[in-house]
Each structure stands twice: as structure tokens, then as C-alpha cells.
Amino acid sequence: MMLKDKVAVIYGAGGAIGGAVARAFAREGAKLFLTGRLRAPVEAVAEDIVSAGGSAEAAEVDALDEQALDRHLRSVIDKASRVDISFNAVGIPNRTILGVPLVELDVEQFSLPITTYTTSYFLTARLAARHMIPNRSGVIMTVTALHSRTGIPLVGGYGPAMAAKEALTRDLSAELAPQGIRVVGLRPQGMPETRTIKEAFEPRAKASGMTWEQWQEFLASRTHTRRLMTLEEMANMAVFMASDQASGMTGTTVNLTMGSLDD
Ligand SMILES: NC(=O)c1ccc[n+]([C@@H]2O[C@H](COP(=O)([O-])OP(=O)(O)OC[C@H]3O[C@@H](n4cnc5c(N)ncnc54)[C@H](OP(=O)(O)O)[C@@H]3O)[C@@H](O)[C@H]2O)c1
């Protein structure tokens, strides 16, 4: 087991990526503390894990609320005595941020993803680091998208938000790696099993006239494998990156775009 007895906190654990990462971490022996904006979806993931013999607790925590985050992580430390892995998988609905040309976009809609994604990642990473520094050990992780590195139309502030998160990953690592804490991101290609990717497709469909199937084929045609990534493949990489096997990886975002984005 690659994560045996590691204590992991996941933010946005009721979502597609958070839930898949939680299940994969549990399979590898981690003790999970799962959080999300609403309790029910997080509870469902925790119940799945526990019924499969794993260890998971669910809590309702807004990943933009500094005090709620602090209270929750203190309760984790009280129960498990430490935190080894912090994974921010928070995502806001694409329909609220995509689909409007930049020249027509109002500043609130432009700023929403930038503020939300960076603030949530900053708050959860800073808090985790404060508890990890005394142990000189820990891994801080998050997820971005290829919009961080390539120009894509009709995505508003989403690209700048993803680029900012990747910059924060590098900067956190520059400060924390000397203290034994690794900071790594994952940048997956779109995973068609998730509602997120369908929501991202909708504004594009209107503009391009493509069907959902044609759009998946278009994305897949840009990968070297000519297919899109599965949640399981992404989660397996998250396990490896969180494990001590990846002790040489920090200050970077793993390119999981299957060749559609050059390094
Ligand atoms: N899915 C993909 O193919 C893909 C590929 C590359 C990158 N990404 C990126 O990865 C991230 C996660 O994607 P996903 O597909 O897992 O999205 P998702 O299924 O929508 O999950 C996001 C989760 O974050 C939660 N959340 C939102 N605001 C929160 C807050 N303030 N506090 C706590 N939890 C909050 C959501 O809860 P509610 O539902 O209650 O709001 C939801 O459970 C996004 O940034 C997405 O753009 C996704």
C-alpha cells in the first residue's frame, strides 16, 4: 500500500476529481478526512470508502472560509495527530464562468474564478503547511487544467486562474520544500466521465456547432493516445505523487494532458 496510514484531507471531495482521488487514496491505505461545501455528496464518498473497508470521515467545510478550514484541520489533528497530505480539488461550476467572449465579459464574472480558485488553494495550502512544518514532512496538492498554458476561447478568467494556481504551486514549494514539504499539482486533460467537462463543452458547442461526441473526438484527436483520460488514471497518478515514491517531485505541475500540451 503506497499511502499506508497517511492522514489525508481532501477539499471538494464530493466532486468528480476529489471523490476519485479519495477512493484511490483509501485503497492505498490512507486515513481520509473528506470535506465539501455540502455534506451529502462528501458523505456518500465516505460511506463508499468505509463500506469497502477503508477509513474516511466527512465534514461540511467551505474551502473559502478561513475559520471553518482552521476549525476542521484542528479537529483532524486532534483525532489523527498530524496531516500528511492536503489535496485541494475544489471546482466552481463552469456554467458560471465560461461562454462569454472576453470583450463582452464583465469584471465580476472575469474575477470570480481567479479569486475563488487562488483563494481556496492559498487558504488550504497555508493552513496545511502550518501544521506540516513542525513535522518537517507533508505533501500539498491541487489540480489545474491545460488552460494554464495554452490559449482557449470563451473561458473568461478560468485560464488566468489555472495559471495563477500553477505559479502558487511553484512559489509554495520554493518556500516549503526546504522544510520537508513537497508541493505538486496535477494538470489532467478533460475527463468525459465528469459533469465539469460537459459543462465546459456547452458554450463551445453553441459557438462551433459540434455535438458532445464530436467535441470529445476533437479533444481526443489532440492527444498522442487519441483518447481522453479516465478518472482512474488521474487518481492513480495522484496516489503516486502523494506517496514517498515521488520524493523527488516538488514545485511542479504534472502534465497529464496525454501529449496535447508540450512541456
Ligand atoms: N473534470 C475534468 O475533466 C477536469 C479536467 C481538468 C481540470 N479540472 C479541474 O479540476 C477541478 C475539479 O474538477 P471536478 O471535475 O472534480 O469538478 P466538480 O465535480 O464540480 O467538483 C468540484 C467540487 O468542489 C466543490 N466546491 C465548490 N466550491 C467549494 C467551496 N467553496 N468549498 C468546498 N467545496 C467546494 C463542489 O461542491 P458543490 O458541487 O457543492 O459546489 C464540488 O464538489 C476544477 O478546477 C476543474 O476545472 C477538471
Side-chain angles (χ1 to χ4, degrees):
M1 282 191 172
M2 292 175 79
L3 302 177
K4 191 160 170 34
D5 297 331
K6 298 272 190 198
V7 178
V9 180
I10 300 184
Y11 301 96
I17 291 180
V21 168
R23 290 181 175 91
F25 279 9
R27 186 195 68 213
E28 295 297 330
K31 293 181 180 158
L32 274 306
F33 291 88
L34 306 180
T35 72
R37 204 174 56 83
L38 301 174
R39 192 181 178 89
V42 183
E43 192 77 57
V45 177
E47 279 169 14
D48 265 12
I49 289 173
V50 170
S51 61
S55 165
E57 278 187 27
E60 186 179 307
V61 182
D62 181 345
L64 292 166
D65 180 338
E66 194 172 349
Q67 286 173 1
L69 287 166
D70 191 31
R71 271 196 306 276
H72 174 261
L73 201 59
R74 280 179 200 283
S75 79
V76 171
I77 306 287
D78 286 346
K79 287 177 195 161
S81 78
R82 62 180 198 283
V83 55
D84 300 307
I85 303 162
S86 169
F87 194 113
N88 186 317
V90 163
I92 54 176
N94 279 327
R95 63 181 172 277
T96 61
I97 57 173
L98 306 186
V100 182
L102 287 166
V103 292
E104 293 168 23
L105 193 62
D106 65 53
V107 70
E108 286 78 19
Q109 194 179 356
F110 173 71
S111 307
L112 179 69
I114 301 171
T115 311
T116 307
Y117 280 112
T118 55
T119 303
S120 165
Y121 182 32
F122 169 72
L123 287 175
T124 57
R126 185 185 66 174
L127 187 60
R130 287 176 176 170
H131 288 280
M132 289 171 176
I133 285 169
N135 300 332
R136 295 192 65 79
S137 167
V139 189
I140 294 171
M141 301 179 71
T142 195
V143 59
T144 56
L146 79 177
H147 306 61
S148 62
R149 295 267 308 279
T150 192
I152 298 177
L154 302 175
V155 298
Y158 185 74
M162 295 297 109
K165 281 184 74 179
E166 293 189 5
L168 185 54
T169 291
R170 294 190 291 272
D171 293 345
L172 284 164
S173 175
E175 294 190 17
L176 296 172
Q179 308 189 66
I181 298 156
R182 295 191 295 114
V183 189
V184 285
L186 302 176
R187 186 195 305 128
Q189 217 342 328
M191 293 167 287
E193 299 152 87
T194 67
R195 105 185 146 182
T196 321
I197 196 77
K198 283 202 175 110
E199 276 178 13
F201 152 74
E202 281 157 12
R204 204 67 185 274
K206 261 192 256 161
S208 64
M210 274 191 265
T211 64
W212 168 234
E213 287 70 28
Q214 286 166 336
W215 196 64
Q216 286 179 76
E217 279 167 27
F218 163 71
L219 290 182
S221 73
R222 300 171 73 168
T223 68
H224 293 180
T225 52
R226 303 288 186 266
R227 67 171 179 84
L228 292 173
M229 173 152 290
T230 64
L231 273 169
E232 189 185 1
E233 287 172 320
M234 179 279 312
N236 287 342
M237 186 53 70
V239 166
F240 178 75
M241 284 300 147
S243 79
D244 295 340
Q245 299 280 310
S247 58
M249 288 287 274
T250 191
T252 194
T253 297
V254 182
N255 184 353
L256 296 178
T257 65
M258 298 171 106
S260 34
L261 191 73
D262 288 338
D263 285 322

